[in-house]
Amino acid sequence: MNRFKDASILITGGTSGIGLATAKRLSGEGARLLLTGHSADHIDAARNALPDATVIANDASDPDSVEALAEAAASFAPGGLDGLFLNAGYGAFESLGDIDAAHVDRHFDLNLRGPLLQARALADRIGDGGAMLLVGSATVGGARADTLVYSASKAALRQAVRSLASEFAPRGIRVNMVTPGLTETHFHTRGGMPDDAQKTYKEKVAGMIPLGRIGVPDDVAKVAAFLLSDEAGYVTGAELRVDGGLTMA
Ligand SMILES: NC(=O)c1ccc[n+]([C@@H]2O[C@H](COP(=O)([O-])OP(=O)(O)OC[C@H]3O[C@@H](n4cnc5c(N)ncnc54)[C@H](OP(=O)(O)O)[C@@H]3O)[C@@H](O)[C@H]2O)c1
């Protein structure tokens, strides 16, 4: 398939996990890519993996960084972006007794305020008829005590997708959400879960997944690519879950 030939796409958090897998998939289908990341080693690795991509450091949790992002987008795609995948996110699993203001702020700054301010700053940089994609979480709708703040931040973003879809619809810009289940990335390490706890957790969740395994980044990347492509040209305000059936009941 060559669905993204010469399309200009921006992916935040494009240096690792789901964002990087989506970048590789879109690049393989002809896209020009502007990727953002946060850590120098992942930025270098992404540059090596995708030498044709433009990879920049840009902190999605910092409101002062959105103007630099808009400027980078303008010089990367003077004619406008065709797609925007606001994927950067973070989750640390803590129950009520272990949370504090910094924990709440870190989640909401990156998972909610970041994409909202980016969407605002980049609104004039997306061409009419383009696509915007955000990332939810299969923990939303569940009742786990330890995903309290992470799930709340993603639930808020899930709701925001609908307003954004209404906002951008008059310009033919579609806004959707891809919602991964447990996916093998740096996410849990970044959230502070020790390796042995991750192993136990992933084995336990795999046993609950109807399709019998946890996800890999490309499982999500395939669906992200579909939602960003013209094949989803009549889809907006939608959420597609990519979780092996974990949350279908
Ligand atoms: N993995 C899962 O099980 C899972 C499940 C549901 C939803 N999700 C969601 O999927 C999305 C991608 O996560 P992932 O699983 O691919 O995790 P990941 O491997 O940790 O990748 C996260 C990406 O976000 C970037 N990032 C983190 N903080 C940032 C910041 N402040 N500013 C800019 N970029 C930042 C990282 O950049 P650097 O690597 O350069 O630091 C990296 O490229 C997130 O929104 C996450 O909430 C993941």
Side-chain angles (χ1 to χ4, degrees), residues 16-65:
S16 175
I18 291 164
L20 181 59
T22 305
K24 288 178 178 171
R25 185 159 278 278
L26 299 187
S27 170
E29 291 198 43
R32 297 178 62 247
L33 295 169
L34 172 60
L35 310 179
T36 76
H38 197 229
S39 66
D41 53 339
H42 285 171
I43 288 170
D44 283 348
R47 284 182 178 140
N48 289 333
L50 290 165
D52 292 334
T54 302
V55 188
I56 61 167
N58 187 271
D59 184 349
S61 67
D62 177 2
D64 294 334
S65 72

Side-chain angles (χ1 to χ4, degrees), residues 13-19 37-39 42 58-61 87-90 110 135-137 150 154 180-183 185-188 190:
T15 55
S16 175
I18 291 164
H38 197 229
S39 66
H42 285 171
N58 187 271
D59 184 349
S61 67
N87 157 76
Y90 164 83
L110 180 57
V135 186
S137 169
Y150 174 63
K154 290 292 190 177
L182 178 54
T183 308
T185 69
H186 291 293
F187 177 85
H188 295 90
R190 202 186 293 272

Side-chain angles (χ1 to χ4, degrees), residues 131-142:
M132 190 185 299
L133 184 62
L134 296 101
V135 186
S137 169
T139 62
V140 172

Side-chain angles (χ1 to χ4, degrees), residues 19-230:
L20 181 59
T22 305
K24 288 178 178 171
R25 185 159 278 278
L26 299 187
S27 170
E29 291 198 43
R32 297 178 62 247
L33 295 169
L34 172 60
L35 310 179
T36 76
H38 197 229
S39 66
D41 53 339
H42 285 171
I43 288 170
D44 283 348
R47 284 182 178 140
N48 289 333
L50 290 165
D52 292 334
T54 302
V55 188
I56 61 167
N58 187 271
D59 184 349
S61 67
D62 177 2
D64 294 334
S65 72
V66 289
E67 223 25 69
L69 185 64
E71 283 166 22
S75 62
F76 169 74
L81 292 165
D82 300 289
L84 190 54
F85 184 18
L86 303 179
N87 157 76
Y90 164 83
F93 297 167
E94 301 286 2
S95 303
L96 183 65
D98 293 318
I99 69 168
D100 56 17
H103 178 87
V104 176
D105 288 349
R106 184 163 182 190
H107 285 82
F108 278 82
D109 289 358
L110 180 57
N111 296 346
L112 182 68
R113 187 179 67 189
L116 294 188
L117 294 185
Q118 288 168 342
R120 189 184 67 180
L122 293 164
D124 294 339
R125 307 280 174 217
I126 314 171
D128 291 358
M132 190 185 299
L133 184 62
L134 296 101
V135 186
S137 169
T139 62
V140 172
R144 278 172 47 187
D146 66 341
T147 61
L148 170 65
V149 175
Y150 174 63
S151 293
S153 70
K154 290 292 190 177
L157 185 63
R158 179 178 186 267
Q159 180 58 40
V161 165
R162 292 155 190 245
S163 296
L164 292 174
S166 295
E167 175 84 30
F168 284 99
R171 292 175 52 201
I173 296 169
R174 302 175 296 102
V175 184
N176 292 297
M177 173 167 265
V178 63
T179 293
L182 178 54
T183 308
E184 191 63 74
T185 69
H186 291 293
F187 177 85
H188 295 90
T189 301
R190 202 186 293 272
M193 194 185 288
D195 288 350
D196 53 345
Q198 279 191 51
K199 188 168 178 294
T200 308
Y201 173 63
K202 288 173 182 174
E203 283 171 2
K204 182 179 160 204
V205 176
M208 297 160 57
I209 294 175
L211 288 183
R213 64 170 176 85
I214 68 169
V216 295
D218 199 46
D219 291 321
V220 185
K222 287 174 189 164
V223 176
F226 164 69
L227 288 169
L228 287 166
S229 79
D230 288 344

